[in-house]
Amino acid sequence: MDPDRSARIRLAQLHLYVDNHINDQFLAPALTVVAAALLTRWLPVERVTIWAVVELAIIAIYITCYRRFRAAKVQVADERVWRRRIAWAHGAHMLSWSSIIVWGWVPGDAGNLMFTMMIHLGLVSLTAAMSNPHRRLLMSDMSIPIVALLAPPLLSAGGFNAGLALLGVFYCMLMLCVAFKIHGTTAEAIELRLRNEELISKLEHQARLDGLTGVANRSHLLATGNAEIRRASRFGHAMALLMLDIDHFKEINDTHGHLVGDRVLKAVSDACALAVRHCDCLGRLGGEEFAVILPETDLPSALAAAERLRETVAALQLHHREFPLKTTVSIGVAMLQAPGEPLAQLLHRADVAMYRAKNSGRNRVEAEVTAPMSDAGPEAVTA
Ligand SMILES: Nc1nc2c(ncn2[C@@H]2O[C@H](COP(=O)(O)OP(=O)(O)OP(=O)(O)O)[C@@H](O)[C@H]2O)c(=O)[nH]1
């Protein structure tokens, strides 16, 4: 499996683990108080109180750790660090409860035996039910009660105690198998969810691209243009639009065929994509016509960008067999004139400028001859 996806699965498992355990904040303190009250039947109140206070402090620590984990928006690379923190914090809680078998053990007392075993059966069952999403944490949580269940014959010799320890360990093994089974199903579901998320984002990305050139397609370009007009209108910023048309493209198609024409389209759009800024949006409007949306750009900068694109395309050295393929573009530059101006109007003005470039000899940049919006001031837009 892709190591990146495995790491994301482990992080999703850690989230699920924390989600399962976060409810401890309501139940664990109550269980601690009830257990402490019952323990006073066999042990001095002071000793039991010390345990209860320590245990309540440990609960506060691991719940805080879970809350911080949830709030931290943890990245995949930090999964290991957080897993260790959680393992220590929750491990301390397991150790504190399992230690009852040592200091709360009263040999020969049936009630005490029942109480101690109940505590451990509860610990083991809850761990299997709640820690199963994360394999490593499940193992570390489970190992403490398993070791604790081996303690009775060490604390008080006898066949019965040895049998009790054996029974406890068998029970733990069984619960561990069940927990692993649930873990497998959960891991599969998480992997499926991540695969679906990847697939959806890939499809969404592809739906925005032009199939031949890989730049934005018409609908994405228009959507971006409309969004940028809204933004520029809201903040009173300048915005430019370039219209690019490959010169004499029909000749390339007619002379060398459509496949060569397609290669030229791809080469021109690749070169333009490298020549525009990261925040600009280059898209194919159709055929051999492209447009570039330039946010936060005034007329001199738009003309400079257009000139850079024109030079980049003119410098391309494309060949088909031994024939050089001369590629140039004519570019029209239009500026947003008024807040909320329709995109169609902006495109039309850039188109008019582009045709002026064509009529003036091609391989040129022409700008429209009207005042840009930055001179008109921001739109009075209210929320
Ligand atoms: N190979 C290829 N050709 C296309 C594609 N889309 C449109 N065309 C062709 O692009 C050509 C455009 O020709 P015209 O509109 O006459 O423009 P031009 O030859 O570039 O002339 P000027 O724009 O005036 O310089 C037509 O032959 C279309 O068939 C495409 O996806 N691939």
Side-chain angles (χ1 to χ4, degrees), residues 245-246 248-250 253 258 262 284 287-288 358 362:
D245 192 281
I246 303 178
H248 300 305
F249 186 64
K250 189 171 182 315
N253 268 338
H258 265 71
D262 284 354
R284 186 179 174 207
E288 79 312 5
K358 290 268 183 197
R362 294 181 172 79

Side-chain angles (χ1 to χ4, degrees), residues 349-363:
R349 288 190 287 103
D351 206 35
V352 170
M354 190 270 291
Y355 274 104
R356 253 210 342 274
K358 290 268 183 197
N359 295 332
S360 311
R362 294 181 172 79
N363 189 22

Side-chain angles (χ1 to χ4, degrees), residues 107-370:
D109 184 312
N112 179 272
L113 175 67
M114 200 192 288
F115 173 81
T116 318
M117 293 316 283
M118 228 184 114
I119 293 274
H120 278 86
L121 293 184
L123 275 185
V124 170
S125 317
L126 286 173
T127 307
M130 291 159 77
S131 299
N132 68 70
H134 201 291
R135 201 183 169 94
R136 290 189 187 175
L137 287 172
L138 171 70
M139 290 303 288
S140 67
D141 285 350
M142 203 69 133
S143 59
I144 294 167
I146 293 178
V147 170
L149 282 169
L150 286 169
L154 302 174
L155 294 164
S156 169
F160 181 75
N161 286 342
L164 206 60
L166 203 63
L167 200 64
V169 171
F170 277 147
Y171 180 75
C172 285
M173 295 304 166
L174 192 65
M175 291 311 283
L176 205 56
C177 289
V178 172
F180 276 140
K181 193 95 185 138
I182 305 172
H183 170 81
T185 315
T186 316
E188 234 175 78
I190 291 175
E191 193 185 343
L192 202 65
R193 195 191 76 204
L194 290 181
R195 271 181 200 274
N196 284 341
E197 281 172 8
E198 279 168 18
L199 209 63
I200 289 168
S201 87
K202 216 179 201 168
L203 288 175
E204 280 173 353
H205 180 67
Q206 276 170 1
R208 291 195 292 263
L209 301 183
D210 173 60
L212 174 65
T213 59
V215 298
N217 59 21
R218 186 182 174 90
S219 66
H220 181 53
L221 184 80
L222 298 184
T224 307
N226 281 318
E228 288 302 337
I229 286 179
R230 281 196 297 276
R231 205 153 65 94
S233 303
R234 174 71 180 85
F235 297 107
H237 290 170
M239 175 191 154
L241 189 141
L242 312 183
M243 184 82 86
L244 281 84
D245 192 281
I246 303 178
D247 299 325
H248 300 305
F249 186 64
K250 189 171 182 315
E251 252 177 60
I252 297 176
N253 268 338
D254 292 349
T255 315
H256 304 286
H258 265 71
L259 282 181
V260 176
D262 284 354
R263 264 184 42 216
V264 170
L265 281 172
K266 175 89 177 100
V268 168
S269 61
D270 283 353
C272 290
L274 290 176
V276 295
R277 296 174 306 180
H278 195 62
C279 60
D280 299 335
C281 178
L282 165 70
R284 186 179 174 207
L285 282 169
E288 79 312 5
E289 201 169 52
F290 296 84
V292 189
I293 290 152
L294 304 169
E296 317 270 334
T297 307
D298 58 13
L299 185 60
S301 308
L303 285 171
E307 188 54 29
R308 194 170 62 242
L309 284 171
R310 187 197 66 73
E311 283 170 9
T312 304
V313 175
L316 282 175
Q317 296 193 335
L318 305 175
H319 289 85
H320 174 58
R321 300 199 177 113
E322 70 275 21
F323 296 106
L325 302 170
K326 192 167 169 293
T327 46
T328 57
V329 283
S330 296
I331 306 179
V333 181
M335 301 298 298
L336 189 66
Q337 294 289 347
E341 180 187 8
L343 177 63
Q345 216 164 294
L346 188 59
L347 282 165
H348 173 71
R349 288 190 287 103
D351 206 35
V352 170
M354 190 270 291
Y355 274 104
R356 253 210 342 274
K358 290 268 183 197
N359 295 332
S360 311
R362 294 181 172 79
N363 189 22
R364 296 172 58 86
V365 173
E366 284 288 335
E368 57 169 351
V369 214
T370 31

